[in-house]
Amino acid sequence: MARDRKPSRSRRPSRSRQLSGSRRARFALLSVATLTIGSTALVEVPVSAAAKPKGHDVSSHQKNVNWSKAKSKGAKFVYVKATESHTYRNPYYGQQYHGARNAGLVRGAYHFALPHKSSGRTQAAYFVRNGGGWRADGWTLPPALDIEYNPYGKKKCYGLSKAKMVGWIKSFSNEVKRQTGRRPVIYTTTHWWKNCTGNSSAFASNHALWLARYSSSAGALPASWRTWTFWQYDNGGSLPGDQNLFNGSMSRLKKFAKG
């Protein structure tokens, strides 16, 4: 996702989901093949998805967003980073989340997971307390969990076994569902999902998929998901932050938001 500043003592930058700017450099360190992302940024919306509602995701890296300008460039929805781990809150969250709604965008909040820092339940509770809520108003997307390769260390699956990673995600999901009434959307890459969960099929039946793949097509999906709900197809473009599409019409997007 769009990068943030690191929330703890270190000055090293953190990201919200994939990258922004130097994000592509970080992906290169993980190897291009690893993330199944194309070697060059896409300039246009993929032809196969050009008619779908266009959106984006932002974090503190984007600071105060000009929402009227984003809307004029075609933005229909946005996900805003709220939290990371159990200690960090996006300082621009209010301007971004409420500003998007005031401009007429459907918006939602996401949490960047650091599963080695605390339990899924702990991070979910922190997320909901700090912006990760939901209500059935047709303008609020369900909370989203951003789970991907560790940007801070060599243990790319955070030192968790595949079984423990699946358990962590279940714990996060159950707490979000308990507090908000919705299961979180899961943001990930197919490669991460295979490597770090063993390609678990435990979530596809009741969790919407937000797939990250920088290419002209979404490509192969993680186990048991038959389709993507959101697709992050590039980390830069006409909208602030990462570029995304919703897999349906605008009326379907509003219906998905309402639950």
Side-chain angles (χ1 to χ4, degrees):
M1 299 284 212
R3 283 170 74 171
D4 269 350
R5 299 179 187 277
K6 177 118 166 59
S8 58
R9 299 184 188 99
S10 169
R11 293 279 182 181
R12 185 171 60 175
S14 136
R15 64 181 180 184
S16 62
R17 263 177 292 236
Q18 280 190 308
L19 320 164
S20 150
S22 61
R23 222 177 357 191
R24 204 168 292 279
R26 179 168 62 73
F27 270 96
L29 293 176
L30 300 178
S31 91
V32 173
T34 295
L35 291 172
T36 66
I37 290 175
S39 59
T40 57
L42 299 173
V43 177
E44 305 286 347
V45 174
V47 173
S48 62
K52 299 183 184 299
K54 187 170 68 169
H56 53 137
D57 59 84
V58 298
S59 69
S60 68
H61 183 78
Q62 281 70 45
K63 300 183 179 179
N64 290 318
V65 175
N66 184 333
W67 291 109
S68 60
K69 185 176 180 180
K71 186 178 181 182
S72 72
K73 290 189 174 184
K76 304 297 184 183
F77 67 91
V78 65
Y79 263 106
V80 175
K81 180 174 183 178
T83 53
E84 179 171 323
S85 186
H86 61 277
T87 56
Y88 173 79
R89 295 180 295 174
N90 173 9
Y92 294 91
Y93 174 81
Q95 190 278 342
Q96 293 175 347
Y97 187 82
H98 300 299
R101 172 65 185 91
N102 291 338
L105 275 66
V106 180
R107 82 305 191 223
Y110 77 86
H111 173 79
F112 186 82
L114 294 181
H116 61 311
K117 295 292 187 180
S118 52
S119 69
R121 181 180 180 181
T122 295
Q123 292 193 28
Y126 183 76
F127 173 44
V128 174
R129 284 198 309 272
N130 292 284
W134 173 79
R135 59 182 182 175
D137 58 2
W139 292 96
T140 308
L141 293 168
L145 170 65
D146 174 2
I147 190 138
E148 56 179 281
Y149 286 113
N150 181 4
Y152 302 124
K154 294 181 180 179
K155 294 180 178 179
K156 297 305 176 185
C157 296
Y158 303 91
L160 275 65
S161 68
K162 294 176 176 65
K164 287 185 176 180
M165 185 64 77
V166 169
W168 193 98
I169 297 169
K170 286 181 177 179
S171 175
F172 184 95
S173 174
N174 288 340
E175 185 64 12
V176 168
K177 176 66 163 63
R178 187 185 74 82
Q179 291 206 32
T180 71
R182 292 292 297 267
R183 291 286 180 186
V185 173
I186 294 178
Y187 168 99
T188 194
T189 68
T190 299
H191 195 276
W192 185 92
W193 197 258
K194 288 180 177 179
N195 270 4
C196 298
T197 75
N199 211 20
S200 173
S201 60
F203 301 93
S205 65
N206 57 358
H207 292 75
L209 174 64
W210 183 357
L211 185 72
R213 185 174 191 259
Y214 301 166
S215 186
S216 58
S217 69
L221 305 182
S224 296
W225 270 292
R226 295 184 178 182
T227 188
W228 51 270
T229 299
F230 298 99
W231 170 24
Q232 185 186 89
Y233 64 87
D234 206 347
N235 66 358
S238 61
L239 302 177
D242 303 311
Q243 313 298 292
N244 295 275
L245 294 169
F246 174 73
N247 197 6
S249 64
M250 191 62 202
S251 61
R252 185 178 171 189
L253 175 64
K254 295 292 291 291
K255 185 176 180 180
F256 174 72
K258 193 169 183 179

